[in-house]
Amino acid sequence: MENNITVYTTTQCPYCTMLKGFLSQNNIAFNEVNVEKDPIMMQRVVRQTGQMGVPQTEINGEWVIGFDPESIIKALKQ
């Protein structure tokens, strides 16, 4: 099954950079949405998760908040 992964980021976020690097190093394809450039998407993320910080990753409809490789791998296996 193909995973649907979207990473919500900002330009200056070091954890966003770490998360994208982790996904790339593990050959995990993802879409990136920079919420600084798309405030409507930021509003959607806040409504979905109740969290304003980034990174936030949506994996097949499940949310992982922050840079949390263990939770990302777990979500990918579900």
Side-chain angles (χ1 to χ4, degrees), residues 41-56:
M41 287 306 292
M42 185 69 223
Q43 292 172 3
R44 176 188 173 270
V45 170
V46 171
R47 275 195 310 273
Q48 291 282 319
T49 68
Q51 301 290 320
M52 290 188 69
V54 289
Q56 294 194 46

Side-chain angles (χ1 to χ4, degrees), residues 52-64:
M52 290 188 69
V54 289
Q56 294 194 46
T57 308
E58 186 177 15
I59 302 170
N60 304 323
E62 181 179 331
W63 289 92
V64 176

Side-chain angles (χ1 to χ4, degrees), residues 4 8 23-24 31 34 39 45 51 53 61 65 68 72 75 77:
N4 184 9
Y8 296 88
L23 293 171
S24 296
N31 298 309
N34 185 321
V45 170
Q51 301 290 320
I65 310 300
D68 187 348
I72 289 170
K77 291 180 179 178

Side-chain angles (χ1 to χ4, degrees), residues 15-42:
Y15 294 104
C16 298
T17 302
M18 290 167 53
L19 175 58
K20 293 184 291 183
F22 169 78
L23 293 171
S24 296
Q25 288 172 356
N26 288 282
N27 297 314
I28 300 169
F30 63 95
N31 298 309
E32 179 181 3
V33 175
N34 185 321
V35 295
E36 286 176 328
K37 298 176 183 173
D38 193 343
I40 291 170
M41 287 306 292
M42 185 69 223

